[in-house]
Amino acid sequence: MTDNTDLYPYLKTLNESQRQAVLKTDGAVLVLAGAGTGKTRALTTRLGHILNTRTALPGQILAVTFTNKAAQEMKERVSSMLGGMDVGHWWIGTFHSLCAKILRSHAPLVGLTSNFTIIDTDDQIRLMKQIMQSHGMDTKQHSPNAVMGMVERWKDKAQNPADVKHEHSGDLAGGRVAFLYGEYQERLRSLNACDFGDLILHVITIFKDTANGVLDQYHHRFTHILVDEYQDTNVAQYLWLRLLAQKKGNICCVGDDDQSIYGWRGAEVGNILRFEKDFKNAEIIRLEQNYRSTPNILEAANGVIANNASRLGKNLWTDKDKGEKVQLNGVWDGAQEARMVTDQIERLKRNSIPYNEMAVLVRASFQMREFEERLNYCGLPYRVIGGARFYERMEIRDAIAYLRTVFSDTDDLAFERIINTPKRSIGDKTVRDIATFGRTNNLSLFQASKQMVGDGSLRPAVRTALGDLLAQFDRWKDLRDDINHVDLADTVLNESGYITMWQNDKSVEAKGRLENLKELLTAMGEFESLDEFLEHIALVMENQEKNDGDRITLMTMHGAKGLEFHAVFLPGWEEGLFPSQRSMDEKGMEGLEEERRLAYVAITRARKFCHISHAANRRMYGSWVSSIPSRFIGELPEGPIEIGVDGQLSAGYTHHNQHNDNTSSSFGARFKQRSSFNGNGREEAVHFVQASPSVNTFTSEGGYKKGERVFHEKFGSGLVISVENDRLEISFDKAGRKKILDRFVKPLGKAQVQ
DNA sequence: TAGATACAGCCTATC
DNA sequence: GCTGTATCTA
């Protein structure tokens, strides 16, 4: 080992476990890398070391990541380690892009041609909807979305339609999901298209059929396999890896079971938990020395995650100074929470912490609005990460649909999208008629349209409109070889009237949409051909994160995985919101543990300062909801926590309160009102006071009667006009009729009017 | 066919 | 409370 470090100086910069992870280059290795333990460093050094020692040539390494960003980063770091070597053509990429590459070379083996299209979520749903409708199913009663979701989970498990039994459909769509899955796959094949799941599934199918020799070919090619974020792999990806690794067995998977937060999209923590069983003589290396956070932050995170039963177990440590304690605050409502956070942000800024080093991480994106409003009000610069991505925007998808139609007569999904955009008086009925005609004559929508315009089976108005459109497409198709794809796109968007449509649109967004279309043309210019561009947008749809200046980051906890900040704010730690009621309802204990891992991920994003908060009242979907502090708050160890510097309501916080026993926490008892988080979204708005309350606002007076006069802190005095359990309908003298919970009003006589 | 109205559902999100 | 969609009606 000492010899090695002399020979390879870069090994000196690693700790003992990291060095092991780099040097164990043969056999199966699982690197359990806790948050902030220098995982990426170990990983890229390992790659570089394998090449440096001539253990493998660049072309013999397969490195798999989950995001393009991660792949890009790995490429850059390995390249710079090797003195700027060109890594452009190396097999470093996402599961999907690597699979697409493989599949394009062997597409006929699964009944596709090499120029198959990759459809996205939007197309998937539309296709499934069409299929359901063509089988006479009511898509209002049975959601295509839910059906598609179930199909995707099957795909995640590498189950083909033949593997899925009728009874697996459950109650969904009248138990016909398995059937619809088969239909869907058939339709995709006839469209020469794949969805994301298929990219992996088809390659597995090809690999498994040993007669074609394809797997042999890749066994020969790849001697070393490297996988990042292994805890996020689904069963299909795991099978894909195992097939590729089974010959040489040199596979190194890096991951952290405690950071598995994508179970809802098919990831299997099980893949990492049973690694030793699946790969012979597997070695597990733990990276536990954390270089990111203070001991206080780590202790808080360790304390929470220790409540999870199913984990491989690992404990982060650091030799840093204790640092500031994690702050915990309870406040009255969401608005006060946002005020408190911005106050803290301003305090940190005064202490020379740049905004770039601060992040507000929320559980659900609806929470962001409150912070955006407050940040705007305070004039603090921020950036929101997440939300609709560039290529998912309507205008971009429309523009691409035009181009796809120009380049393919058989791309029904694309043609259908724009056949009446802008409006050409070609309505649903006409489109359905054409589709039916196409199906019976085995023609695509485009081809069927042509025929029907020719044979006069359409109404004159429709016939003219459709005929004009088809003539335009013919002209554009002729232009394909004469002008470059950017000019072509420009021509198509202008001549089709699509640009004009947005120019005439008076809505607020129209201007932005036109700008996006311009940006699309610029982006296209960076590619040689339209095909290349389309492959890019299908597989490399990264979010352009403009690094424009010093700004506070506002994002979801999920989005924050892999990032770190000096200061992290974690608002909304309330039962029902976090942990999310829905996760628990749908997945029970498993769902709860995943939420807890999310808490662990969130806390460990912080380097120096972490601030957790919860509000007693929050506006959700238009109505006010009260909730008790998150059970995760009760799981925080006492030592590293400092309570209630700002929020007077946190005084009642107690440690180690049991999940199911809110009464053991005085805080919980005080706020134990409506635990109804889900299912109540549609109820009448229940207005709570928004001003800072005195505690006795919460004591229920109870027993109001119709006709009684009452006082409300915000709405003033009023008359009770109906009583339903604890809900009162009150006609206020000034504020009008409101529905109010009885505990928020007082009998008028006792009210203390300021 | 298109605009008007009713109504359900609303988390997390990569490729 | 907002938005996307399904249905109704001119």
Side-chain angles (χ1 to χ4, degrees):
Chain A
M1 199 74 65
T2 346
D3 301 351
N4 279 335
T5 51
D6 286 341
L7 259 167
Y8 307 107
Y10 49 83
L11 293 176
K12 280 187 189 140
T13 64
L14 303 175
N15 68 34
E16 187 50 37
S17 330
Q18 288 173 328
R19 206 172 304 143
Q20 272 177 36
V22 169
L23 294 176
K24 164 97 175 119
T25 52
D26 61 312
V29 188
L30 174 65
V31 180
L32 274 183
T37 53
K39 172 196 77 168
T40 313
R41 180 128 175 245
L43 228 152
T44 46
T45 310
R46 179 187 166 93
L47 245 176
H49 187 68
I50 288 174
L51 296 167
N52 239 338
T53 52
R54 302 281 188 276
T55 308
L57 297 168
Q60 293 176 311
I61 292 174
L62 178 71
V64 197
T65 64
F66 269 86
T67 63
N68 289 295
K69 200 177 150 204
Q72 193 54 41
E73 203 177 294
M74 195 185 293
K75 281 183 181 175
E76 278 163 16
R77 291 178 84 158
V78 175
S79 166
S80 81
M81 183 176 162
L82 301 172
M85 193 185 272
D86 175 29
V87 297
H89 59 286
W90 291 11
W91 286 76
I92 299 179
T94 62
F95 277 101
H96 293 94
S97 65
L98 295 168
C99 281
K101 194 166 163 186
I102 295 172
L103 193 54
R104 293 230 184 260
S105 326
H106 313 283
L109 292 172
V110 287
L112 299 168
T113 64
S114 68
N115 63 343
F116 62 83
T117 35
I118 299 165
I119 67 164
D120 62 17
T121 319
D122 196 90
D123 284 342
Q124 282 181 295
I125 307 281
R126 287 195 310 146
L127 198 57
M128 182 55 84
K129 191 169 158 191
Q130 281 174 15
I131 290 165
M132 290 170 74
Q133 281 168 343
S134 78
H135 289 282
M137 298 175 74
D138 178 1
T139 50
K140 198 171 179 180
Q141 212 186 332
H142 307 290
S143 133
N145 225 321
V147 171
M148 202 58 237
M150 186 175 263
V151 168
E152 288 205 292
R153 292 296 83 80
W154 284 332
K155 291 193 173 194
D156 290 339
K157 295 196 182 90
Q159 294 179 313
N160 287 301
D163 306 323
V164 182
K165 299 228 170 53
H166 173 71
E167 53 268 29
H168 292 146
S169 301
D171 297 334
L172 198 60
R176 297 176 79 190
V177 189
F179 165 75
L180 291 168
Y181 180 18
E183 294 286 293
Y184 172 79
Q185 287 308 103
E186 213 155 281
R187 187 92 179 88
L188 278 181
R189 201 152 311 193
S190 73
L191 286 167
N192 192 32
C194 274
D195 63 19
F196 289 117
D198 285 343
L199 292 173
I200 304 192
L201 235 48
H202 284 326
V203 172
I204 291 178
T205 306
I206 293 170
F207 282 173
K208 274 189 173 167
D209 179 8
T210 44
N212 61 36
V214 175
L215 183 58
D216 274 349
Q217 185 185 324
Y218 288 97
H219 277 163
H220 187 73
R221 174 175 291 170
F222 301 124
T223 59
H224 289 77
I225 300 174
L226 197 67
V227 188
D228 193 13
E229 304 283 12
Y230 185 64
Q231 76 283 349
D232 290 340
T233 52
N234 60 36
V235 170
Q237 288 157 339
Y238 156 77
L239 290 172
W240 185 86
L241 285 170
R242 217 176 59 175
L243 282 163
L244 279 167
Q246 67 192 14
K247 188 86 173 280
K248 300 260 185 343
N250 295 332
I251 182 167
C252 173
C253 296
V254 186
D256 181 2
D257 52 323
D258 290 335
Q259 291 188 70
S260 166
I261 54 173
Y262 286 113
W264 47 272
R265 63 176 201 211
E268 288 279 341
V269 211
N271 288 348
I272 197 168
L273 297 177
R274 53 153 207 256
F275 187 86
E276 282 171 295
K277 284 193 201 119
D278 292 329
F279 294 97
K280 269 180 289 172
N281 304 321
E283 187 170 328
I284 296 193
I285 296 167
R286 284 182 165 76
L287 304 186
E288 293 177 301
Q289 181 173 4
N290 176 291
Y291 296 97
R292 179 186 296 157
S293 311
T294 64
N296 275 330
I297 289 165
L298 290 183
E299 202 185 319
N302 283 337
V304 172
I305 198 66
N307 290 277
N308 268 8
S310 42
R311 51 192 297 249
L312 289 167
K314 119 178 109 4
N315 218 23
L316 298 186
W317 62 275
T318 177
D319 50 17
K320 287 201 174 86
D321 289 337
K322 272 272 175 205
E324 239 180 296
K325 288 196 174 187
V326 172
Q327 286 195 16
L328 175 66
N329 286 287
V331 292
W332 174 244
D333 64 6
Q336 191 183 342
E337 188 177 44
R339 281 198 300 277
M340 172 176 66
V341 168
T342 49
D343 287 351
Q344 290 275 350
I345 286 173
E346 286 172 333
R347 176 182 69 85
L348 290 169
K349 179 69 177 178
R350 281 195 298 276
N351 290 329
S352 313
I353 309 301
Y355 293 131
N356 273 338
E357 280 294 339
M358 307 182 208
V360 181
L361 309 181
V362 297
R363 176 62 181 84
S365 45
F366 77 84
Q367 293 171 261
M368 288 185 191
R369 212 182 61 186
E370 201 134 41
F371 286 94
E372 285 196 65
E373 278 167 15
R374 179 66 193 170
L375 288 162
N376 280 326
Y377 177 83
C378 298
L380 297 170
Y382 67 92
R383 94 186 99 231
V384 175
I385 311 274
R389 286 173 302 172
F390 186 70
Y391 293 112
E392 281 167 2
R393 300 200 178 132
M394 186 208 320
E395 64 276 17
I396 303 301
R397 298 182 49 87
D398 287 345
I400 287 165
Y402 267 103
L403 295 173
R404 270 163 57 178
T405 311
V406 171
F407 279 82
S408 165
D409 277 3
T410 54
D411 198 333
D412 284 8
L413 287 164
F415 188 46
E416 198 204 332
R417 192 182 169 95
I418 46 84
I419 191 168
N420 198 33
T421 310
K423 294 265 187 301
R424 300 185 176 91
S425 299
I426 303 167
D428 290 350
K429 176 75 168 58
T430 309
V431 176
R432 264 203 309 280
D433 288 348
I434 300 170
T436 312
F437 179 79
R439 255 200 308 282
T440 46
N441 294 287
N442 203 21
L443 293 170
S444 72
L445 205 60
F446 192 87
Q447 294 157 342
S449 305
K450 250 190 180 160
Q451 197 129 345
M452 287 177 83
V453 166
D455 67 16
S457 56
L458 296 166
R459 287 200 352 253
V462 174
R463 189 180 165 181
T464 318
L466 190 54
D468 289 352
L469 179 65
L470 293 173
Q472 279 188 308
F473 268 110
D474 282 341
R475 216 174 47 249
W476 297 327
K477 282 169 192 281
D478 287 341
L479 284 174
R480 279 184 307 200
D481 300 326
D482 302 336
I483 60 178
N484 74 46
H485 57 290
V486 183
D487 292 337
L488 181 63
D490 196 34
T491 309
V492 171
L493 293 179
N494 278 298
E495 292 185 1
S496 62
Y498 191 73
I499 298 274
T500 320
M501 176 183 96
W502 287 118
Q503 282 168 343
N504 294 337
D505 191 299
K506 295 200 171 50
S507 65
V508 213
E509 310 95 61
K511 216 179 119 213
R513 296 199 195 274
L514 286 164
E515 274 166 24
N516 287 337
L517 288 168
K518 235 183 237 165
E519 209 172 317
L520 174 75
L521 295 181
T522 315
M524 280 178 75
E526 288 162 29
F527 294 84
E528 290 287 311
S529 68
L530 187 80
D531 278 348
E532 233 178 80
F533 176 70
L534 290 179
E535 185 90 347
H536 174 83
I537 60 169
L539 293 171
V540 197
M541 288 218 260
E542 66 224 282
N543 234 341
Q544 359 79 275
E545 278 168 39
K546 276 177 270 171
N547 213 355
D548 49 354
D550 189 24
R551 290 165 185 279
I552 298 147
T553 301
L554 195 48
M555 69 197 307
T556 64
M557 295 178 182
H558 282 90
K561 196 170 123 194
L563 304 177
E564 59 177 75
F565 302 89
H566 177 106
V568 166
F569 296 90
L570 306 173
W573 282 41
E574 296 128 34
E575 281 295 301
L577 177 57
F578 187 51
S580 138
Q581 191 60 49
R582 211 167 138 181
S583 299
M584 295 187 291
D585 289 348
E586 283 168 13
K587 290 224 149 163
M589 189 51 81
E590 232 177 274
L592 173 63
E593 294 212 341
E594 182 155 310
E595 294 284 305
R596 194 175 278 118
R597 292 192 289 268
L598 189 55
Y600 172 81
V601 167
I603 296 171
T604 54
R605 297 310 97 195
R607 280 201 295 266
K608 300 274 191 217
F609 182 71
C610 180
H611 183 278
I612 297 170
S613 56
H614 56 95
N617 301 294
R618 190 176 293 285
R619 219 187 157 90
M620 291 179 93
Y621 306 130
S623 46
W624 284 95
V625 173
S626 307
S627 27
I628 58 172
S630 168
R631 69 192 70 193
F632 300 150
I633 285 179
E635 292 168 6
L636 290 165
E638 202 166 340
I641 307 291
E642 180 174 48
I643 305 160
V645 199
D646 310 87
Q648 62 277 55
L649 291 179
S650 270
Y653 162 80
T654 54
H655 293 284
H656 312 300
N657 56 330
Q658 293 302 302
H659 307 160
N660 48 4
D661 182 11
N662 297 318
T663 52
S664 70
S665 147
S666 59
F667 196 113
R670 202 147 20 101
F671 290 108
K672 191 178 172 191
Q673 306 159 31
R674 300 202 308 168
S675 56
S676 49
F677 227 91
N678 59 338
N680 272 346
R682 299 208 64 71
E683 280 182 1
E684 334 79 302
V686 179
H687 298 270
F688 290 0
V689 255
Q690 283 179 46
S692 274
S694 56
V695 171
N696 67 7
T697 325
F698 262 93
T699 46
S700 173
E701 303 288 337
Y704 292 99
K705 291 189 185 65
K706 197 175 159 183
E708 200 169 336
R709 284 196 65 79
V710 292
F711 178 80
H712 184 280
E713 280 212 9
K714 189 171 176 203
F715 304 125
S717 52
L719 187 72
V720 178
I721 52 178
S722 74
V723 183
E724 197 193 323
N725 298 325
D726 58 348
R727 278 166 217 195
L728 311 175
E729 190 169 6
I730 301 167
S731 172
F732 287 102
D733 302 342
K734 293 206 176 95
R737 279 194 184 196
K738 307 260 184 227
K739 302 234 175 168
I740 306 279
L741 288 185
D742 60 6
R743 60 188 76 95
F744 293 102
V745 297
K746 295 168 188 182
L748 193 58
K750 293 182 205 164
Q752 293 166 12
V753 187
Q754 302 92 313

